Every structure is written in structure tokens, then in C-alpha cells.
Amino acid sequence: MSTQTVSRVLVTGSTGFIGAHVVDNLLARGYSVRGSTRSAKKGEQMKAARPQYADKLEFVVIEDFTKIGVFDDSVMDGIDAVIHVASPFFYDTTNNEQELIIPAINGVKSILSASAKPGSKVQRMVLTSSFASVVDVNTTPPPGFTYTAADWNPLTYEVAADPKSTSVEAYRGSKKYAELAAWDFVKNEKPQFDLVTLCPPMVFGPVAHPVPDIKSMNESNSVLWSVADGVDPLPGARVPAWIDARDLAEVHVQALLKPEAGGKRFLAASPEPFSYEYAADIMKEKFDWAKDSVTSNYVAGQKPSASYGVDGQTAARELGVTYRSFQDTVVDFVKQVKETIL
Ligand SMILES: NC(=O)c1ccc[n+]([C@@H]2O[C@H](COP(=O)([O-])OP(=O)(O)OC[C@H]3O[C@@H](n4cnc5c(N)ncnc54)[C@H](OP(=O)(O)O)[C@@H]3O)[C@@H](O)[C@H]2O)c1
């Protein structure tokens, strides 16, 4: 499908970590952006921080995705394409199915059905899925194995939603079953738009959304910051792969703009494996204060090794994106937190 006539894009999750970078990337290219948010205040703060885009950026408040049908007609008015980023991403849950899985799936169903209504001009939907819907954490892959966008996490809905399962497991299920709901919708309903799904692993980097204090930092960056803050022992990386949020925003926008991306699923990941030990080494090397605050209770100076590969190169090649180094990401993020958030 050609997306050459796209002028106004709806970005859900626009006041979150990844969504705000997507908003900035679109604005910098001259697109008009309607961001959905649960918080009018965060929308106002985003707008106030971007006075040069006053006439290109607007926000709509969308109620919680646990209710179907939250994207009413006025939200979709004049929208040519959608980047659906929003989904619950936190592990501090009391009811995994209600707080993680159902909102993720209902959010996808809501935005897809609103975009497929008669009269809709939506040409393409880009969905932020996750490497969580790709990786099988319970099996050790054979030596030399590389995950690609053809792989699916075998986790069942029943296990993900089981009250005895951890919130991490439930989050993995929320991403898998939300993404599957999107592919099923397109297959069964044959809407006028096509779908692209993106499966990034851990996402790190400086923030572009309102973060009033370090306690309000998004989940993935919070773990990275805990290293700078002296957590001991260092966390273990759940997956050895990562991507910078600014590169991931570029992946989203290229996935929206490249006609040939339609109908595809992409793994978006840097080729460089990471570990929190590697992050600790970088912080100590680049910031004098970190020599005291970052723990020494680990084996320093080891390059991270990964027990499997993650094919981020197909996305890089087909979408024309390059990946930053882990060092640049860590330095830019830590500097920003130290100088503007603490
Ligand atoms: N960060 C990572 O490492 C990572 C890795 C792979 C995939 N992802 C995916 O990337 C997306 C964004 O994550 P993020 O890292 O940017 O996290 P984030 O900062 O927590 O953003 C999540 C966004 O989703 C919105 N949201 C959450 N629950 C919602 C609900 N019930 N109803 C309506 N909106 C809801 C939030 O809205 P408000 O702004 O209004 O609170 C927020 O904008 C998610 O789909 C996540 O699964 C993240």
C-alpha cells in the first residue's frame, strides 16, 4: 500500500517513552500528529515543550483500553495512518490478566476496529509489539541460533493469565496475544489499511516525554538507571538484545512510510548484545561520579555475550535504519537523568 498521501498520524501512547520519540520523529519530518494519552496534563506538557509545532501537534484523552470502543469517530477524524504504541508495560501488578493482558488486547481491537470503520482514511497501521512475543525463554536454543521475525513465543494464553504466573510472564502474553489479535483482525476483516508489526527487545535511551522525577521513569530505563544509582547485585538481563528509543522511532516511521513494509513483521534490534555489567563499565568509564556510586560487585571489563542471535539486520536493511552503539545510548541517557531529572 502506498502511504505517500499520509499527512496526519494518530500516535497512541504518545506521552510514553517510545511514543514521544515517535511523535518527535514525525513532527521533524513535517507530519501533523494527534497523540492519544490518558493524561491531559502530560499532553499539555508535551505541547508546551514543543512550541515550534503548535499547529502540528494535538492531543486527545483516551479512556483506559480495558473498555472496548474508546477511539470514537472524532479521534479518527482526518487520520491517514496510525502508530499504535500504547500498551501497559509495568510489572508492579495486582491482577495480571486485568491490568496487563486484557488492556493490551482490547487496545489493539479498539484501534483496529475504529480505523476500519466506513469512511476511515487510515492507510496503514504500525503496531509496537515486542521481542516478548518472539522469544521462547523456557528453551535454550541450539548453538548459533538467531531469532528472526518468523519466530513466535509458544506461551499459551492460559499460562500467561494464570494468577500463579509472574507479571513478566503475563506481560509476554499480553504482547503476543495483542499482536496476534491484530494479525487475525487484518486476515478476517480485510480492512482498507495494511499492518506492520515491530518486535523490539529492551529499549533504552534519553526520554522525550514528561518525566517529573526518577520514580516516574518508564520500566526499561528504570532498570538501567538503577545501575547508575548503585543497585547491588546488578540485575540480570532477561534478554541480551536492545535498541535505542530514537532508532526505534525511526523504525516506526520508516515502517509507516515504506510501501513495501506493508504486511510484514520486523525484529528491530541492535546487533550489539548488552548486559548490565557492560552498562556499569560504561558508566564508570564515562562519569567520574559513577566510580563511587556504581557497584564493584561484578566482573568488570567483560564484553557481553549472548546465547543466541537476534536478527535486527533485516529491519535495518529493509527500513533503511542504522543502530546507535550501546555506549552512546547509556551515556546520553545517564547524562540526561543526572542533568535534568534528578
Ligand atoms: N521499553 C521497552 O523496553 C519496550 C520493549 C519492547 C516493547 N515495548 C512496547 O513499547 C510500548 C511503549 O512502551 P514504553 O516503554 O514507551 O512504556 P511507557 O512509557 O510505560 O508507555 C506505555 C504507554 O502506553 C499507554 N498505556 C498503558 N496502559 C494503558 C491503558 N490501559 N490504556 C491506555 N493507554 C495505556 C501509556 O499511556 P500514558 O502515557 O497516558 O500513561 C503510555 O503512553 C508498549 O507497547 C511496550 O509493550 C517496550
Side-chain angles (χ1 to χ4, degrees), residues 263-328:
K264 291 192 180 170
R265 185 182 196 225
F266 289 102
L267 245 175
S270 158
E272 191 188 6
F274 92 98
S275 66
Y276 293 105
E277 288 78 4
Y278 184 30
D281 283 347
I282 293 169
M283 291 175 197
K284 287 183 180 215
E285 190 198 325
K286 296 292 174 184
F287 302 101
D288 279 344
W289 54 264
K291 293 185 176 76
D292 296 326
S293 71
V294 174
T295 183
S296 295
N297 181 21
Y298 70 100
V299 183
Q302 308 256 28
K303 274 275 175 202
S305 66
S307 55
Y308 53 79
V310 177
D311 169 32
Q313 292 310 315
T314 302
R317 192 178 58 250
E318 292 192 16
L319 299 174
V321 175
T322 51
Y323 299 118
R324 282 173 174 76
S325 70
F326 190 60
Q327 174 166 302
D328 285 354

Side-chain angles (χ1 to χ4, degrees), residues 66 87-107 157 160 166-175 178:
T66 37
S87 202
F89 183 24
F90 62 102
Y91 295 132
D92 181 17
T93 54
T94 51
N95 183 325
N96 289 334
E97 189 175 21
Q98 291 301 326
E99 293 167 52
L100 293 175
I101 302 176
I102 290 175
I105 295 172
N106 285 2
Y157 187 95
T166 63
S167 54
V168 174
E169 221 159 1
Y171 171 73
R172 290 191 183 117
S174 79
K175 296 307 291 181

Side-chain angles (χ1 to χ4, degrees), residues 42-183:
K42 278 202 232 166
E44 280 155 23
Q45 287 172 330
M46 289 258 309
K47 244 183 113 64
R50 292 158 179 79
Q52 70 278 33
Y53 296 117
D55 59 340
K56 293 260 182 192
L57 177 61
E58 59 179 333
F59 287 90
V60 286
V61 175
I62 292 289
E63 284 181 42
D64 202 285
F65 291 157
T66 37
K67 297 184 199 126
I68 288 272
V70 286
F71 292 95
D72 69 20
D73 295 345
S74 65
V75 175
M76 302 308 297
D77 254 5
I79 294 296
D80 308 304
V82 177
I83 302 188
H84 181 53
V85 183
S87 202
F89 183 24
F90 62 102
Y91 295 132
D92 181 17
T93 54
T94 51
N95 183 325
N96 289 334
E97 189 175 21
Q98 291 301 326
E99 293 167 52
L100 293 175
I101 302 176
I102 290 175
I105 295 172
N106 285 2
V108 162
K109 287 184 174 167
S110 263
I111 188 68
L112 272 99
S113 50
S115 303
K117 277 194 178 163
S120 165
K121 294 198 301 162
V122 172
Q123 299 163 39
R124 175 160 294 170
M125 168 89 46
V126 177
L127 171 71
T128 317
S129 185
S130 172
F131 187 56
S133 73
V134 173
V135 66
D136 177 2
V137 289
N138 295 317
T139 309
T140 309
F145 180 83
T146 294
Y147 278 103
T148 72
D151 293 304
W152 282 89
N153 179 355
L155 180 67
T156 64
Y157 187 95
E158 289 65 34
V159 169
D162 187 330
K164 291 194 290 300
S165 293
T166 63
S167 54
V168 174
E169 221 159 1
Y171 171 73
R172 290 191 183 117
S174 79
K175 296 307 291 181
K176 173 182 175 179
Y177 287 97
E179 188 188 348
L180 278 175
W183 286 116

